[in-house]
Amino acid sequence: MQKRRFSVDAIAKYMPPGKRRHYGKYVVIERLSFPLGLAWPGGGIEEGEDKEEAVVREVDEETGLSFVHNCGSQFQAWLPRMYDEDGRDPRWPATSYVAYGYASGMPKNEEGKTRVLFLSKEEILAFAKELDRANKPRTPGAN
């Protein structure tokens, strides 16, 4: 049995450079290698690192953006603060802590690994629905 890994994910609204307000889009990454698909920026908590340090480092590594926590966020109705559903990550058992906040700066893709996207909640949900539809077994003759 594989050892459970602890990680962080950032649900962040994007604040373009020079702006004082977000513009309604979330920072999302498109994974270009396994596991493919959309994801919140995030990753493993390193030895000796706390989750607050890990989320700032991971957002920077995957997007080139600076992450700032947001307390008392309206995002909290969307997703829980922590999740560890078995099978959520096909690579290993994982418990992820979710940080809510804002990201700013100039985006930078992680070469060969990720592409930075800015999507609305509706665009994210539509993509997830389409991905779910694409991964379901198809009945012959059905659309």
Side-chain angles (χ1 to χ4, degrees):
M1 183 148 114
Q2 285 188 314
K3 181 180 173 186
R4 180 166 295 279
R5 296 183 183 200
F6 291 88
S7 60
V8 292
D9 289 307
I11 298 178
K13 287 214 172 175
Y14 180 59
M15 238 188 288
K19 303 290 183 190
R20 295 180 58 142
R21 302 197 63 200
H22 66 80
Y23 77 120
K25 300 276 184 165
Y26 292 89
V27 178
V28 180
I29 58 168
E30 178 184 12
R31 290 186 178 138
L32 304 177
S33 60
F34 181 78
L36 297 170
L38 293 185
W40 302 116
I45 300 172
E46 295 179 356
E47 186 77 31
E49 186 176 49
D50 66 30
K51 61 185 183 251
E52 285 76 19
E53 294 167 324
V55 74
V56 170
R57 177 185 51 75
E58 285 290 345
V59 170
D60 178 54
E61 285 177 5
E62 293 189 352
T63 69
L65 301 172
S66 298
F67 178 79
V68 177
H69 289 274
N70 180 37
C71 300
S73 167
Q74 70 273 20
F75 308 106
Q76 292 172 4
W78 243 73
L79 292 172
R81 289 182 178 261
M82 183 182 91
Y83 55 100
D84 63 354
E85 180 180 325
D86 286 337
R88 178 193 69 79
D89 191 320
R91 298 167 294 183
W92 46 69
T95 296
S96 290
Y97 296 96
V98 180
Y100 303 90
Y102 296 94
S104 61
M106 292 300 295
K108 182 183 83 183
N109 298 327
E110 192 175 13
E111 187 69 32
K113 292 183 176 183
T114 63
R115 186 168 66 110
V116 181
L117 304 172
F118 304 109
L119 302 175
S120 68
K121 178 180 173 182
E122 293 73 25
E123 290 169 320
I124 293 167
L125 293 174
F127 184 91
K129 190 180 280 185
E130 190 59 37
L131 185 62
D132 185 49
R133 194 174 304 126
N135 288 325
K136 285 190 175 167
R138 299 197 185 268
T139 305
N143 288 334

